[in-house]
Amino acid sequence: MNPTLSRDSKYPLVALPKTRTGIAGLDEITGGGLPKGRPTLICGSAGCGKTLFSMEFIVRGALQFGEPGVFVAFEEKSEELAMNVASLGFDLKQLQADKLVKLDHVRIERSEIEETGEYDLDGLFIRLGYAIDSIGAKRVVLDTIENLFSGLSNQGILRAELRRLFEWLKEKGVTAIITGERGDGTLTRHGLEEYVSDCVILLDHRVDNQISTRLLRIVKYRGSVHGTNEYPFLIDEDGISVLPVTSLTLDHDVSAERVSSGILALDKMLDGKGYFRGSSVLVSGTAGTGKTSIAACFVNAACLRNERCLYLAFEESPQQIVRNMSSIGLDLQSHIDQGLLTFHASRPTLNGLEMHLIAIHKLVRELKPRLVVLDPITNLVTVGSMSDVKAMLIRLIDFLQTEQITVLFTALTRNTIVQEQADEGVASLVDAWLLVRDIESNGERNRGIYIMKSRGMKHSNQVREFTITDEGVDLVDVYLGPEGVLIGSAREAQQLQVETGVALRDHAVGRKDREIERKRLVLESKIASLKEEFESVQEELNKSYIEDELRKEILEKNREQLTRQRHKEE
Amino acid sequence: MIDPSHIEDGTEGDDHPGDDRLDGERLPYQLRLFVAGASVNSIRAITNVKHLCETYLAGQYWLEIIDVHQQKQLAEQQQIIALPLLVKRLPLPERRLIGDMSDTEKVLKGLGILDESV
């Protein structure tokens, strides 16, 4: 493997040529597809998707890579097969008419056949060779060739002939898929793996906690490096998608660009600019603390910047979220109408974690959003264990970060002890972690928000009060009173008190002034009444004095008169 | 995809024209032997079938020997997998025998000459 050696040698090292399958994700795990010109064995138990897998190989080959293919069905009739795959949008009739695909149903019934000595499978060879030549096929599927074992009893002949068949296929230079039913303790019931040794892919269908997961594993791939894990895959209306799990390296590009959180005050707490683009944000908190509102604000801001958003709701329906958010002044419906916002609501129990992951992958590939919201991730625990969820989120974050997509998770916490929340594991993965808490005091409940961490930026260490009003979400500076941090109505009361303090003092001064005035008035009226009293006493006294004078005058007059009269009589 | 009526159609236009065929089709035993070129099994099967027919069905049979290599489309039409293949079209029921026909008893049973229960 010395590079200088290969350069010097006469024949440069040639990597194994591969045939792309066109199946989403599979070509990534196999490093380019199935070995070209060689047979590949696909095995698995009933209903694990072997036929569909091989059919997709043929159809995609014909449609995407211009490689016609022959599909030999030992189980299903051609019409049945065409009908079965029509649901995936594969029009086999048309493909056959265009000479891109050839279906051949091989019917073999033991009861109709009598074996009378030595025979060989030349018939099958001729038949297959004719089919290949008639359309110039590059791909061949034999599904499931093991049915020959039930139709023919001479195992010795069959085995020798199968070996010859696979050799012959190699000579023909066609890339072949041979499917086989999984046996007890062996890959296939009849040991096909003995003959097909270049590449073996195992499909599995596992049900865990009533939730089914389809898994794919490359058991063997001679002459090529390949992923060795079990890769979950999904069968939906677009066929098979395999999830290439994590890229094991951590070397994706990072952006220094900042995006607003949609809440001005929160941006201020985050160094005045908001989150990094392509970072992961976790908003956790107990029930009813406004996690969804924070997420919706972020989405709203992104949509206003004309960025595409994907909102994955695991708890509420899109209509519900739109309605609820309109109550706080966020018009998400208009973003949906513009095609900027896409909701994808599904119950976590709809399928396994892996399936969710694949579904998210597919949506992200399709929509190419700049922002993805998962609300809430904690509901996923109903489908898998905490470690499964963590593994899934690692992969999701990894995937989204390589795509430079900002992601926001909300998580419900059942307690307020920070250490236990950290155990959920996600906290260590995310770049920013906001914690929304209930703060209960004085018979009322208020929301407090603080930033637990925010990688790569200065951020506020303050607990802010978090308010949700008709106009949206806002943060209020906490009020530091003489008794400590005040929130809610206590804060308002304190503020009121301060504002009215001056007025109260003014009021107090005024009241004292009025008191003095009143006292003065009282005194003055007292003085007046005393004066009146004095006057009346004076008048009284004067009256008797005048009377005395008058009496004295009158007596004087009377005496004079008497005197005069006496004088006359005399 | 293939039903018995198609089998008839598939061979109608074969290159076995002439009076021989018309005469032959009136005989009670209608046999068709598919072989793959001149392989060992093919040659053995031809020899064995001819011998059996002459021994047990002299004058009552019509045997058609078809090389599938020459008419490859027949392989799909006739649901041929293993070769050599002997098809007894008449008398009904139709029977299919594979192999080099060396197991005489089985062949005779298959052709209905020997009672199967024996």
Side-chain angles (χ1 to χ4, degrees), chain A residues 421-432:
Chain A
Q421 287 164 9
D423 282 347
E424 282 171 15
V426 192
S428 65
L429 299 170
V430 293
D431 296 315

Side-chain angles (χ1 to χ4, degrees), chain B:
Chain B
M1 196 158 178
I2 304 294
D3 59 41
S5 67
H6 276 96
I7 295 174
E8 303 286 351
D9 293 346
T11 51
E12 216 73 64
D14 291 340
D15 49 355
H16 294 280
D19 296 329
D20 264 12
R21 183 188 165 96
L22 289 175
D23 289 343
E25 287 195 344
R26 284 187 212 107
L27 295 166
Y29 279 90
Q30 294 289 325
L31 306 176
R32 202 179 261 179
L33 179 64
F34 294 94
V35 294
S39 70
V40 184
N41 284 339
S42 302
I43 291 163
R44 267 213 298 266
I46 293 168
T47 321
N48 286 336
V49 169
K50 276 189 172 164
H51 175 72
L52 282 173
C53 288
E54 281 306 315
T55 315
Y56 297 94
L57 302 167
Q60 301 177 62
Y61 72 98
W62 174 249
L63 174 68
E64 218 178 337
I65 297 172
I66 299 160
D67 180 1
V68 186
H69 272 304
Q70 306 297 319
Q71 301 174 55
K72 291 182 176 171
Q73 73 281 3
L74 276 185
E76 188 188 340
Q77 286 162 8
Q78 300 286 334
Q79 281 294 350
I80 295 169
I81 300 149
L83 287 176
L85 168 70
L86 179 67
V87 180
K88 180 196 71 163
R89 299 168 68 203
L90 282 174
L92 292 171
E94 188 179 288
R95 291 304 308 259
R96 293 162 82 91
L97 310 168
I98 56 167
D100 60 8
M101 311 296 150
S102 55
D103 190 336
T104 312
E105 197 180 313
K106 267 195 174 171
V107 179
L108 291 177
K109 277 182 186 168
L111 293 178
I113 297 164
L114 221 69
D115 192 350
E116 294 207 36
S117 57
V118 176

Side-chain angles (χ1 to χ4, degrees), chain A residues 30-62:
Chain A
T30 51
L34 303 179
K36 196 183 189 73
R38 298 189 190 186
T40 295
L41 175 67
I42 293 185
C43 44
S45 45
C48 68
K50 298 185 293 289
T51 302
L52 193 73
F53 188 103
S54 36
M55 183 52 89
E56 196 170 341
F57 171 71
I58 290 288
V59 173
R60 298 232 179 265

Side-chain angles (χ1 to χ4, degrees), chain A residues 77-79 102-108 111-127 130 133 148 152, chain B residues 1-2 36 39 41 44 68-69 72-73 75-76 79-84 95-103 106-107 110 116:
Chain A
K77 284 189 178 166
S78 306
E79 289 86 358
K102 170 112 183 79
L103 289 186
D104 187 359
H105 169 57
V106 172
R107 195 172 59 96
I108 188 150
S111 61
E112 291 177 6
I113 293 171
E114 199 73 57
E115 291 174 33
T116 66
E118 286 280 307
Y119 55 90
D120 50 47
L121 295 184
D122 270 343
L124 184 63
F125 280 74
I126 293 167
R127 191 165 168 177
Y130 178 70
D133 295 340
L148 287 179
L152 303 168
Chain B
M1 196 158 178
I2 304 294
S39 70
N41 284 339
R44 267 213 298 266
V68 186
H69 272 304
K72 291 182 176 171
Q73 73 281 3
E76 188 188 340
Q79 281 294 350
I80 295 169
I81 300 149
L83 287 176
R95 291 304 308 259
R96 293 162 82 91
L97 310 168
I98 56 167
D100 60 8
M101 311 296 150
S102 55
D103 190 336
K106 267 195 174 171
V107 179
E116 294 207 36

Side-chain angles (χ1 to χ4, degrees), chain A residues 47 72 82 135 162 193 234 297 308 394 398 480 510 512-513 549:
Chain A
V72 184
I135 59 165
L162 282 182
E193 61 270 26
L234 181 72
C297 281
R308 218 180 271 270
I394 290 175
D398 204 46
L480 276 171
K512 266 182 191 144
D513 284 353
E549 282 289 307

Side-chain angles (χ1 to χ4, degrees), chain A residues 80 224 238 324 373 378 380 511 547:
Chain A
E80 290 171 351
S224 168
D238 299 322
N324 296 349
V373 172
T378 20
L380 294 171
R511 205 176 56 183
E547 275 176 4

